[in-house]
Amino acid sequence: MPKKNPSTAAQRARQRQAATGEKYTTALRAETRPAVQRPAVRHRPFSAGGAGWAPIIRRAARELDEVWPDHPTPAWEEKFGDLCWKGTPWSQGPEVWAVVNQATREASSTCQTCPSPGRKRVVWPWDSEYGWVMPWVKTCCDTCAYVPPQLRDDQAYLELVERYEERG
Ligand SMILES: [Zn+2]
């Protein structure tokens, strides 16, 4: 039985790197196929940007102003589809936590990209240099979620789907 071809650029690059001994980045560039179609929505790993989460972040900022007038500007980021404040000041009191937790809770059911209701979905961020780099968990509506057809059987993708989509 023929061995299944690796389906992501990263997998192909690792295989190519093992075969040729060249640098990973060189192999990855060589294995990235420019012909794949780009999705309308570009998901960026760790980015909390997007029209869906923006109002949640703005409201959290206003509420923080009230409970903690000199608060530092929160470094919001996305992690496994959740909105979080990177480097949250743990020493703050419960009223600050209430604001942060409320924002995280709202974001967990709001598409990050548009203001539609959303849920955890596994998507593929697109990189103009590397192509479809890796599957990534985002909070997404059905419209903003996009999985390239050729990557629907990808093992890493399926594992994330099982963990984050099917146990929701
Ligand atoms: Zn959406």
Side-chain angles (χ1 to χ4, degrees), residues 111 113-114 116 140-141 144:
C111 176
T113 310
C114 75
S116 303
C140 240
C141 70
C144 295

Side-chain angles (χ1 to χ4, degrees), residues 119-123 145 147 157 160-168:
R119 60 185 172 89
K120 296 266 189 308
R121 303 286 299 262
V122 184
V123 300
V147 177
Y157 166 73
L160 283 178
V161 167
E162 192 187 328
R163 187 156 171 203
Y164 287 92
E165 290 193 23
E166 293 175 0
R167 291 177 195 175

Side-chain angles (χ1 to χ4, degrees), residues 54-90:
I56 297 171
I57 288 171
R58 277 198 301 272
R59 188 167 60 251
R62 284 197 301 274
E63 290 171 359
L64 277 175
D65 288 343
E66 286 170 26
V67 297
W68 184 12
D70 296 323
H71 68 85
T73 305
W76 296 107
E77 70 169 11
E78 168 273 317
K79 252 190 198 163
F80 291 99
D82 283 325
L83 175 65
C84 13
W85 177 343
K86 187 183 182 182
T88 317
W90 295 98

Side-chain angles (χ1 to χ4, degrees), residues 75-111:
W76 296 107
E77 70 169 11
E78 168 273 317
K79 252 190 198 163
F80 291 99
D82 283 325
L83 175 65
C84 13
W85 177 343
K86 187 183 182 182
T88 317
W90 295 98
S91 57
Q92 290 305 308
E95 61 285 348
V96 170
W97 280 104
V99 172
V100 174
N101 290 339
Q102 171 68 18
T104 299
R105 202 158 44 236
E106 268 182 62
S108 72
S109 59
T110 306
C111 176

Side-chain angles (χ1 to χ4, degrees), residues 26-58:
T26 308
L28 187 57
R29 206 169 290 125
E31 289 298 331
T32 301
R33 292 181 184 155
V36 291
Q37 200 193 341
R38 293 180 190 196
V41 174
R42 301 253 201 115
H43 298 285
R44 283 176 299 143
F46 297 118
S47 166
W53 282 7
I56 297 171
I57 288 171
R58 277 198 301 272

